[in-house]
Amino acid sequence: MTYQPDENRYERQPYNRSGRSGLKLPAVSLGLWHNFGDDRPIENSRAILRRAFDLGVTHFDLANNYGVPYGSAEKNFGRVFREDFSHYRDELIISTKAGYDMWPGPYGEWGSRKYLLASLDQSLKRMDLEYVDIFYSHRPDPDTPLEETMGALDRAVRSGKALYAGISSYSPEQTAQAARIMRELGTPLLIHQPSYSMINRWIEDGLLDVLEEEGMGCIVYSPLAQGLLTDRYLEGVPTDSRAATSRFLSADEIDRDLARDLNEIAKSRGQSLAQMALLWTLRDPRVTSVLIGASSVKQLEDNVACLQGPPFTEDELDAIDKITRRAS
């Protein structure tokens, strides 16, 4: 059956300007790190992507090594895009990244011009796209001059293979330096993608100030701390949970007392813990968008519903701060 998106999709959530650029992003964006590889049914991925667009999610975030095996998330996204979204290309923001290990040998990771531009070509081929809207340096490279990495991003934009350039997981100092280099090249950095959550607040120690000064947006990932800030672990570690099955989270990292205390605040607000944690990341106007993952349509809908929550009171924010200090 031919997909027809919801006619009211743009009434479902706000769109925030990315720094001082002309680009707006949805308050909630969809990340395809997990759940879109060959280890997951393609029809489930299709259903999530369709429902996301119906809910006003116009931004789909990928990277070269997302999915099992590497590259499969881009390949599967490309298939769904061709079949369902090709008529809506100009309504979508599609991003990808390069920086982590992707193929063997010395040219398959980090931040060299060789790796970044080759990776972008491969990503476009997998997704069957002429360009991506945002191309990121996924992480800083300690051994490659920043001028080379930023020069590759500048080349990606000038070649027409990307419309905007971004960086991810750069420190405040690295971000300021990268922004200066790109400004001199004539291709300003659009956005930074850092990790951020109630229990991972490093961007508050300088990065947000740099982004504001440089006119860059901020789109945060891991806002639920790999599931720690959900009701998933309030009573233990389910056998099918990420803590039990994934290398990215271990049972030793789970603080059930902290989650239970935060959950009480969420309940008083009429939200789930996950919804409160997502909305909390957006309380600072310097945060443009929050990236969510989803393994099902219901999880997607529940997470996007965070936007329906009430504004935080000062008492609620103070109570959250007191609880989360325990995780510092």
Side-chain angles (χ1 to χ4, degrees), residues 102-224:
M102 184 59 192
W103 62 82
Y107 319 119
E109 65 176 324
W110 293 108
S112 71
R113 183 183 183 90
K114 167 76 172 175
Y115 168 62
L116 291 176
L117 296 180
S119 179
L120 177 56
D121 284 342
Q122 293 179 20
S123 291
L124 293 175
K125 184 176 181 180
R126 279 190 292 269
M127 293 187 283
D128 194 19
L129 295 175
E130 294 181 358
Y131 68 94
V132 290
D133 296 276
I134 308 171
F135 181 52
Y136 288 90
S137 166
H138 207 167
R139 61 172 171 171
D141 183 344
D143 298 318
T144 296
L146 193 55
E147 288 81 2
E148 178 176 342
T149 300
M150 294 303 105
L153 294 183
D154 174 67
R155 175 59 182 167
V157 172
R158 292 183 184 277
S159 69
K161 295 177 181 179
L163 299 186
Y164 299 95
I167 56 176
S168 178
S169 301
Y170 279 54
S171 71
E173 295 76 19
Q174 291 167 330
T175 299
Q177 185 179 1
R180 176 186 58 77
I181 294 169
M182 291 294 280
R183 188 166 53 249
E184 292 173 353
L185 289 171
T187 303
L189 282 174
L190 171 81
I191 199 164
H192 189 297
Q193 186 176 133
S195 61
Y196 185 49
S197 72
M198 286 179 172
I199 57 176
N200 174 25
R201 299 174 65 163
W202 72 276
I203 71 172
E204 296 174 8
D205 295 327
L207 181 60
L208 285 173
D209 292 334
V210 170
L211 298 182
E212 183 176 27
E213 181 176 344
E214 298 291 346
M216 294 171 59
C218 179
I219 180 169
V220 300
Y221 73 90
S222 291
L224 303 181

Side-chain angles (χ1 to χ4, degrees), residues 238-291:
T239 57
D240 63 343
S241 66
R242 186 170 296 175
T245 62
S246 171
R247 64 186 175 92
F248 295 105
L249 179 66
S250 70
D252 295 338
E253 298 177 68
I254 297 171
D255 185 338
R256 288 202 297 274
D257 289 337
L258 179 144
R260 287 169 180 158
D261 291 344
L262 290 172
N263 192 53
E264 290 302 311
I265 299 176
K267 287 196 296 185
S268 72
R269 290 171 46 82
Q271 292 185 300
S272 68
L273 175 53
Q275 289 169 340
M276 182 179 77
L278 292 170
L279 189 60
W280 180 90
T281 66
L282 291 165
R283 78 199 188 287
D284 191 315
R286 294 173 295 184
V287 174
T288 312
S289 183
V290 58
L291 275 169

Side-chain angles (χ1 to χ4, degrees), residues 45-98:
S45 300
R46 184 192 307 277
I48 292 170
L49 289 166
R50 284 181 170 187
R51 185 58 179 150
F53 193 42
D54 287 343
L55 294 173
V57 177
T58 55
H59 177 28
F60 298 137
D61 180 76
L62 298 107
N64 56 358
N65 65 347
Y66 283 2
V68 179
Y70 285 176
S72 58
E74 288 184 328
K75 175 176 65 69
N76 291 329
F77 173 79
R79 173 181 167 182
V80 175
F81 174 84
R82 287 191 303 272
E83 296 172 358
D84 292 344
F85 293 102
S86 58
H87 293 300
Y88 307 100
R89 178 63 182 98
D90 293 337
E91 297 183 40
L92 295 175
I93 301 297
I94 301 169
S95 63
T96 195
K97 315 176 200 71

